[in-house]
Amino acid sequence: MKHYTKFSFRGFYFAFLLIILIPALIAGCKEKKGTTIPHSDNLIETLELDGNFTILTELLEGTQLANMLSGSNKYTIFAPVDASFSGLQEGYLEGLTDVQIQELLRYHIISGQVRIGTETTSEFHNSLQGDPVFITAEDTEYKINNSANVNERNQQASNGTIHAVDEVLFPDTFGSIADNIKKRPALNSLFEHFSHLELLNLLETEENLTLVVPPPAIYNDIESWLGSTLTDEQKIEIWKYNMVPQDLSGYDPGTQTAMATIMGDSLYFTVSGTNQYTFNLSQTGENSSSSSIRSANGTIYELNGLLLPDKYTGVLTLMDKRYYLNTARVALATAKMTGRMYNSDNNADEQFTVFIPRNESTGLDNLPADEEGLAGIFKYHVLLEKITADQLQHNQTYTTWLGEEITITRNGDQIVINGAATITLPDLEGTNGMVHVIDSVLTPPAD
């Protein structure tokens, strides 16, 4: 007698599910693109088990960082593989102090888990050391600080994530000004610009250098911003005016001083608060961490404008940037003289000669407050032609904007106007004229 086993649909259903799901579960546990199997080993244990990070783990061994990376809090490590250390200069690590090595290690670690995925384009995260680490992606290629390649990303440990990189990463203070421009995506076009102008060596080797840079909209197209075509030599001249061979961090709030640039001309520096600086007319950001980048050989300050030598500015801008001419400069604006002097109300090619008193000059504390009164005085300080100090002749008279004449007397290099006001700083030349600084307000003749 034959026995037949009763068909069970429920049993068949579960068997079918096992056949389908077990391979899928196995596949799900296998390494996905850019990831590895999550496991119970912590970050330190995972680095040690991998076998490609022996130098990194030796540097971490016995430190507080090793204890931290073995704990329960989540961290992300940009882990240099052993081969990456061969790219360092011979004896580099041995030359670092214990504090510097800890700072270097902390720069490779970020608090929390940062995964690098297909949606990554450009981002940055502040390291435990404090300086930012920059991640960029092009297609499926990922770079850190625009240099190090990510060999393997998103390796999981019980308490964080590991990204294997093929270079050692350096905090801002370990790199040159050129290095810190290059690694920032927002400044990378500026790096290419400096490379074209052959200025990188200066930014790598000059000690105690201050570099001030404008917003990208300006430096990406200086010519459009200025409204004129520039040669490479002129661009180099402008950029060297934005470089000061001096550390500015020691100046106290309230400081106002002139500083010689690498180009030669002075720029005018004011400290309005802690890490709050004005260079000529351009200011740093309100947050010092976002407006200054401390490098091994100096500091980068990000400004809201471009600094220009006198010969690239008009006479009003030339006066604006000199804080010691503020009082008279405000008077010119109140007198409604600036439209013409900006070449916007008259002939675009009109030239001027301005005799401008310094803030402490005699007579500036007795100026009238109204527009008409100020215009009656300061139009007497302006000639409607460009005249250098050498061209001012002894006993020569010149007709002013006001229509009244001034008289020049000379004794060698000393030039006096109307027998009272002496030129103390001659020949500040701008695009539309000449400025001569004087020590006294000129008084127009009485009616």
Side-chain angles (χ1 to χ4, degrees), residues 264-280:
D265 283 8
S266 292
L267 61 76
Y268 299 86
F269 175 67
T270 301
V271 185
S272 53
T274 303
N275 292 320
Q276 301 297 303
Y277 303 143
T278 298
F279 298 86
N280 293 356

Side-chain angles (χ1 to χ4, degrees), residues 199-221:
L199 288 170
L200 290 182
N201 184 62
L202 180 63
L203 300 178
E204 291 167 349
T205 60
E206 182 76 26
E207 294 296 325
N208 295 320
L209 180 65
T210 294
L211 170 69
V212 286
V213 299
I218 296 176
Y219 64 66
N220 280 333
D221 195 354

Side-chain angles (χ1 to χ4, degrees), residues 25 65 96 122 175 191 197 201 282 286 318 344 349 351 368 438:
L25 289 171
L65 284 175
L96 297 180
S122 179
F191 180 87
L197 297 175
N201 184 62
S282 299
E286 294 181 1
L318 182 156
S344 57
D349 297 322
Q351 295 285 304
I438 58 178

